[in-house]
Amino acid sequence: MSDWKDLKAVKEVADLSFQMYQKGWDEANGGNITYLLTDDEAASLNYVPGTGKKLTLTEGIPDALRGKYVLVTASGSYFRELKDDLDHLLGIIYLPEEGDEYEIAAGLIDNRPTSELGSHITTHAVRLAVDSNQRVVMHNHATHVLAMTHCGPTDEREFTLALWRMITEGVVVFPDGVGLVPWCVAGTPEIARETNERMKTRRCVVWQYHGVFTTGDSMHDAFGLLETIDKCAEVWLLSQAAGGKNPGIPDQGLKDTAKWYGTTLREGYVD
Ligand code: 2HA
Ligand code: ZN
C-alpha cells in the first residue's frame, strides 16, 4: 500500500482539525470529520478487501456508499492531538459491497471510528443524492452558533433569517439556509433521522445546545461554510449584546444580494 498519510485529504484533516481546536470549536474529544475518497485515491491504497479488522455499522450501509472508502476521525480523538498522531486518531474504512461489517483499511490503530459514524455515513448518502460531488461531513461545537441556539430564534426559518441579515456573505454562502434540530441525544438514530431529513435540501444542520453539521464537495468547502455561519452567529450575538437597535439586511437587500451573486434563496424564506 502506498502511504495513506500522503493523501491530500489527510493533510487537510490534520490541518483543519487543529484550526478548529484553536477556534475553540473542539474541546476535548468534541467534533468528527469524514471524507469520501475519490476512486483514484481509493485505488492508490492498494487495500485488499477482507484483510482489515471488521466492525459493525448498526445503522446499516447505504447502497450509495457500498464499495467506497471513507477517511474518518477516531472515537475519542482530541483534535488538538490529531495532526501529531495520525496512525491512532485517523484512519480509512472500507464499506463492503455486501453485509453490515465494514473494515479498517488504514490507521485507527487500537481505535475505532467516531461514535457519530452512523450519522456521517447516512448524511453522505443523503447529500450524494442531490450533489454527485459531495465528499465531506464535518461536525463540531462551533461556539457562536451553539450560543445562538440558547438565545436566538427556535424556528429554523427565523434562525436562518437572523443569520442572513448579519453579513452580506450569508445569502451567498448558504442560500439554502440552515436546518435546526431541536435538542436530542447525540449518536442516536433519532438525531441522525432529524439531521438527514433536513440535509435533503441544505448543506448545514445545527443541533440545538450541541453543535453543527456541515457538508461539502471539499474539506475547505465544508470548513468555509462552518466559518461563515459561525461568523454570522458571532455578529448576531455581539449586536444583540450591544442593544441591537438596527434590523440588519432587509428582505429586499437579501434578494438583491442573492441575485447579484447568482444564488437562489430558499423558497418561502423571503417575501
Ligand atoms: O465526537 O462531538 O457529538 C464527539 C462529539 C459527539
Ligand atoms: Zn458533538
Side-chain angles (χ1 to χ4, degrees):
M1 181 195 290
S2 67
D3 193 350
W4 65 280
K5 285 172 283 183
D6 289 338
L7 287 173
K8 183 172 152 232
V10 171
K11 295 181 193 314
E12 287 176 341
V13 171
D15 177 32
L16 293 181
S17 59
F18 194 71
Q19 287 192 41
M20 288 184 205
Y21 157 68
Q22 287 180 311
K23 281 175 169 291
W25 293 350
D26 294 276
E27 71 290 343
N29 65 330
N32 28 74
I33 302 173
T34 51
Y35 167 84
L36 191 57
L37 270 64
T38 64
D39 290 344
D40 283 350
E41 287 168 335
S44 78
L45 298 174
N46 292 320
Y47 173 72
V48 180
T51 57
K53 183 179 165 189
K54 291 186 170 59
L55 292 163
T56 304
L57 195 64
T58 40
E59 290 83 355
I61 298 170
D63 287 346
L65 272 86
R66 288 205 175 270
K68 302 283 185 194
Y69 290 78
V70 179
L71 180 67
V72 56
T73 53
S75 173
S77 58
Y78 278 37
F79 276 15
R80 66 168 164 268
E81 295 176 342
L82 196 140
K83 70 179 174 54
D84 297 320
D85 191 6
L86 298 175
D87 284 312
H88 293 89
L89 303 183
L90 190 65
I92 295 172
I93 57 169
Y94 170 67
L95 302 169
E97 300 285 357
E98 283 173 18
D100 288 336
E101 283 190 322
Y102 63 91
E103 301 166 19
I104 295 183
L108 291 170
I109 295 172
D110 300 329
N111 219 328
R112 52 180 298 133
T114 167
S115 58
E116 305 283 3
L117 182 65
S119 276
H120 279 243
I121 293 295
T122 49
T123 294
H124 276 289
V126 167
R127 290 303 306 164
L128 272 172
V130 290
D131 172 13
S132 59
N133 294 317
Q134 156 65 26
R135 300 231 159 267
V136 178
V137 178
M138 252 175 208
H139 164 66
N140 69 28
H141 306 156
T143 315
H144 302 99
V145 183
L146 185 43
M148 193 170 157
T149 68
H150 284 269
C151 52
T154 52
D155 170 83
E156 64 191 355
R157 175 177 173 273
E158 293 303 322
F159 193 88
T160 294
L161 282 167
L163 293 171
W164 278 351
R165 294 196 200 290
M166 292 301 103
I167 310 178
T168 305
E169 286 292 291
V171 290
V172 181
V173 177
F174 53 101
D176 295 328
V178 301
L180 182 59
V181 175
W183 188 83
C184 48
V185 180
T188 57
E190 184 193 3
I191 205 162
R193 199 173 52 242
E194 292 289 336
T195 304
N196 289 322
E197 195 47 44
R198 288 164 175 81
M199 281 290 185
K200 286 178 186 165
T201 58
R202 305 169 182 85
R203 292 174 52 213
C204 174
V205 172
V206 175
W207 289 352
Q208 190 181 32
Y209 316 147
H210 183 142
V212 191
F213 250 70
T214 59
T215 63
D217 299 351
S218 70
M219 216 76 75
H220 285 281
D221 187 28
F223 185 73
L225 175 60
L226 196 49
E227 275 184 305
T228 309
I229 291 168
D230 197 67
K231 179 66 177 271
C232 290
E234 182 176 12
V235 175
W236 187 87
L237 291 166
L238 285 170
S239 60
Q240 291 288 309
K245 64 181 168 57
N246 298 339
I249 304 169
D251 284 2
Q252 191 60 46
L254 297 176
K255 284 197 283 192
D256 290 347
T257 308
K259 192 171 170 203
W260 183 256
Y261 286 94
T263 57
T264 306
L265 289 186
R266 188 179 193 82
E267 223 181 298
Y269 270 31
V270 178
D271 296 330

